[in-house]
Amino acid sequence: MVQNVVWVVSILLMAVVAAIFIWVADRAASPVEDYRPMAAAAYRLRPWLFVIVAVAMTGASWRTLGELPYRGVARAATLAVPAQRVDVLGEQWDWRITPTQVRVDQPVDFHVTSKDVNHDFALYDASLHIVAQVQAMPGFDNVLRYTFQRPGTYRVMCLEYCGLMHHVMASEITVVER
Ligand code: CUA
């Protein structure tokens, strides 16, 4: 869905750029004109363009930043229950996750590290939307706190290219009712 929209918008923008190119190429052959009045008009429009872009981008940021995976962290802070601990070790090309079952509505601290190269521990819900992720790095204990809001099976996939079999580096975590 989103990909289709991005594709159509890209095609439209490319068409606009192509049209400007053709227009410029077409005008290049004509005699020199006085562009100064046009430039003055453009400068008068510039503050308004700035205001329009600033308002649009503020609105877009306000609308989209709330969708970040970090939402689960804020919710966890309001729950007065101790965190569950899950140890995650990434290695070419598998995940060692202990334990693989956690409870819903109770924060989980994923302690993520790697045995060899950099990987990326990414959690996906049933519709394969990413819900949280953190880098798995050799020598580092990266803690990702996340609170699952729905029971079910979550996919774990590697989100950092880590070698030939990167694409098979997947696992699962089961989230059960409390
Ligand atoms: Cu591990 Cu990609």
Side-chain angles (χ1 to χ4, degrees):
M1 241 293 272
V2 178
Q3 284 91 337
N4 285 342
V5 173
V6 171
W7 190 78
V8 169
V9 169
S10 304
I11 292 291
L12 285 176
L13 289 177
M14 278 187 254
V16 169
V17 171
I20 293 171
F21 253 87
I22 292 165
W23 183 75
V24 169
D26 187 50
R27 307 266 302 188
S30 57
V32 177
E33 284 180 33
D34 186 0
Y35 286 105
R36 278 172 297 183
M38 222 194 282
Y43 277 121
R44 274 195 301 276
L45 277 179
R46 200 157 66 166
W48 292 107
L49 281 176
F50 175 78
V51 170
I52 290 166
V53 169
V55 168
M57 294 316 288
T58 304
S61 301
W62 183 80
R63 170 69 188 81
T64 54
L65 287 180
E67 302 294 325
L68 279 177
Y70 309 129
R71 185 184 274 174
V73 178
R75 186 152 180 240
T78 65
L79 298 168
V81 279
Q84 311 164 79
R85 182 186 171 120
V86 173
D87 287 296
V88 178
L89 176 70
E91 62 176 317
Q92 288 166 321
W93 287 277
D94 205 359
W95 294 106
R96 291 178 190 216
I97 302 171
T98 346
T100 55
Q101 183 174 304
V102 295
R103 287 175 299 279
V104 75
D105 275 340
Q106 182 178 347
V108 182
D109 282 345
F110 291 97
H111 287 257
V112 180
T113 188
S114 168
K115 197 175 161 189
D116 36 46
V117 300
N118 273 24
H119 303 275
D120 195 297
F121 175 77
L123 281 168
Y124 293 79
D125 65 16
S127 45
L128 286 186
H129 286 135
I130 190 165
V131 296
Q133 64 85 28
V134 71
Q135 279 275 314
M137 302 150 74
F140 288 84
D141 174 25
N142 289 338
V143 182
L144 169 69
R145 174 164 284 201
Y146 184 72
T147 305
F148 293 94
Q149 285 150 38
R150 277 189 211 122
T153 303
Y154 288 73
R155 291 279 287 168
V156 173
M157 286 192 266
C158 185
L159 210 60
E160 169 94 37
Y161 182 71
C162 55
L164 202 60
M165 302 296 281
H166 154 75
H167 59 283
V168 303
M169 195 166 164
S171 188
E172 280 180 357
I173 286 177
T174 310
V175 179
V176 296
E177 299 279 3
R178 294 177 75 187

